[in-house]
């Protein structure tokens, strides 16, 4: 018993959390299965790696800031025909992140822009990428307050250190000239440093009016569309078509 406590203490000091928690069970299981020393060590090390990977994924998922979890398997391509299964299969391979391509999903509310963006972001987290999700309105807030708010500064630092940044709902709220300039600075900082997913209810030809400066808009679009796949998602709102009634 004394040796078991010593093993657990050593495991704690070495941050071997699986061994620290399961030392007794590991020893009993090794005795029952008559495991060799090599197999026992391999089993311990494999479980330590699996646990560390799981915890790292949980941290990445928490830091991503998704408002909800959406899965790519739940995206209804029979309802939203603007994107094909073949395209989705290519996107989940994540090669586009390695090559720093951007994705832009355009279309009216309810057509699945946010769903597919979060779902791809979730897949990226599973694949080991650092992801940041932010709505355009929240992004404007943290950009304007980063100099006076530690929380906002921390959010911007997370965005700048991410491999994939998802900016949702561009175009739903008006943007001031100051905000447009801050947005340009962020896009410039992320250019060829990270991949972007942007969702918007405005066509690219309407962004100039939204941002209030044709020259600034051209500079932003020049950076975003340098390596980019554009998806025009149209059709009816999935939420309206599948709305549930209280009295069904």
């Amino acid at each position: 018993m004394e040796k078991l406590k010593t093993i657990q203490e050593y495991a704690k000091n070495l941050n071997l959390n699986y061994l620290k928690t399961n030392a007794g069970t590991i020893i009993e299981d090794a005795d029952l299965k008559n495991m060799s020393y090599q197999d026992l060590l391999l089993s311990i090390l494999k479980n330590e790696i699996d646990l560390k990977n799981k915890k790292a994924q949980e941290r990445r998922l928490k830091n991503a800031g998704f408002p909800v979890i959406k899965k790519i398997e739940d995206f209804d391509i029979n309802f939203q025909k603007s994107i094909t299964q073949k395209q989705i299969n290519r996107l989940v391979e994540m090669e586009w992140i390695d090559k720093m391509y951007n994705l832009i999903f355009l279309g009216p509310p309810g057509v699945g822009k946010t769903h597919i963006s979060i779902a791809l972001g979730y897949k990226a987290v599973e694949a080991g990428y650092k992801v940041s999700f932010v709505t355009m309105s929240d992004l404007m807030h943290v950009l304007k307050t980063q100099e006076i708010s530690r929380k906002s500064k921390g959010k911007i630092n997370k965005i700048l250190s991410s491999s994939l940044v998802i900016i949702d709902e561009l175009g739903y709220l008006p943007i001031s000239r100051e905000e447009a300039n801050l947005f340009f600075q962020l896009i410039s900082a992320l250019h060829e440093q990270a991949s972007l997913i942007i969702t918007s209810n405005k066509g690219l030809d309407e962004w100039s009016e939204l941002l209030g400066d044709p020259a600034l808009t051209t500079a932003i679009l020049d950076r975003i569309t340098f390596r980019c796949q554009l998806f025009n998602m149209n059709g009816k709102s999935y939420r309206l078509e599948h709305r549930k009634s209280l009295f069904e």
Side-chain angles (χ1 to χ4, degrees):
M1 196 65 172
E2 190 64 33
K3 287 183 179 180
L4 178 59
K5 288 183 178 180
T6 303
I7 290 171
Q8 290 172 325
E9 189 63 31
Y10 286 168
K12 180 180 179 181
N13 291 338
L14 292 168
N15 291 320
L16 299 173
N17 294 319
Y18 176 80
L19 180 59
K20 179 189 70 175
T21 306
N22 301 285
T25 304
I26 291 169
I27 293 168
E28 290 175 7
D29 194 46
D31 283 339
L32 286 172
K33 295 180 179 177
N34 197 28
M35 295 174 71
S36 69
Y37 297 134
Q38 285 185 340
D39 287 341
L40 176 59
L41 285 172
L42 281 170
S43 176
I44 292 170
L45 292 173
K46 180 183 182 303
N47 281 291
E48 287 293 347
I49 290 171
D50 289 345
L51 182 60
K52 288 182 186 299
N53 288 340
K54 180 182 178 183
K55 287 184 177 295
Q57 180 173 318
E58 289 171 352
R59 285 194 300 272
R60 290 194 304 273
L61 185 59
K62 180 180 179 181
N63 289 333
F66 298 128
V68 293
I69 298 301
K70 297 286 187 180
K71 301 291 185 68
I72 203 72
E73 296 80 10
D74 298 326
F75 185 77
D76 192 347
I77 59 171
N78 293 317
F79 184 84
Q80 177 50 260
K81 299 182 183 297
S82 302
I83 183 168
T84 67
Q85 186 63 57
K86 182 178 179 180
Q87 288 173 321
I88 289 176
N89 292 343
R90 284 287 303 277
L91 291 174
V92 298
E93 290 173 357
M94 299 297 151
E95 184 182 6
W96 56 279
I97 295 181
D98 296 329
K99 294 182 177 180
M100 293 185 186
Y101 269 75
N102 301 321
L103 307 179
I104 300 178
F105 295 102
L106 303 177
V111 294
K113 303 185 301 297
T114 300
H115 183 140
I116 196 166
S117 298
I118 292 176
L120 289 171
Y122 183 77
K123 280 287 187 182
V125 166
E126 287 187 319
Y129 296 95
K130 290 178 67 176
V131 178
S132 288
F133 176 96
V134 64
T135 63
M136 189 64 176
S137 59
D138 286 345
L139 178 61
M140 291 301 100
H141 172 74
V142 296
L143 284 172
K144 289 189 295 184
T145 59
Q146 61 180 311
E147 300 300 329
I148 59 173
S149 167
R150 291 179 62 184
K151 183 177 179 181
S152 294
K153 186 64 175 178
K155 179 66 175 178
I156 292 299
N157 288 338
K158 283 182 181 179
I159 289 173
L160 292 173
S161 66
S162 294
S163 300
L164 171 62
V165 179
I166 302 171
I167 302 173
D168 194 34
E169 298 181 342
L170 187 153
Y172 284 83
L173 294 173
I175 297 173
S176 69
R177 180 62 182 270
E178 176 198 1
E179 291 170 334
N181 274 297
L182 290 171
F183 184 55
F184 167 72
Q185 291 171 31
L186 179 69
I187 294 300
S188 295
L190 292 171
H191 181 53
E192 297 196 296
Q193 301 299 316
S195 289
L196 296 171
I197 295 179
I198 296 179
T199 76
S200 179
N201 64 332
K202 305 289 186 183
L204 297 186
D205 57 341
E206 299 176 273
W207 284 25
S208 180
E209 180 181 351
L210 171 69
L211 298 172
D213 186 324
L216 192 64
T217 304
T218 299
I220 290 172
L221 286 174
D222 180 66
R223 287 158 174 77
I224 293 174
T225 61
F226 176 60
R227 294 190 187 94
C228 181
Q229 182 64 49
L230 178 66
F231 295 91
N232 283 300
M233 301 175 70
N234 41 49
K236 299 179 180 178
S237 167
Y238 186 89
R239 289 186 290 269
L240 289 177
E241 287 293 303
H242 295 81
R243 66 187 182 279
K244 297 183 182 299
S245 169
L246 178 64
F247 302 106
E248 286 180 351

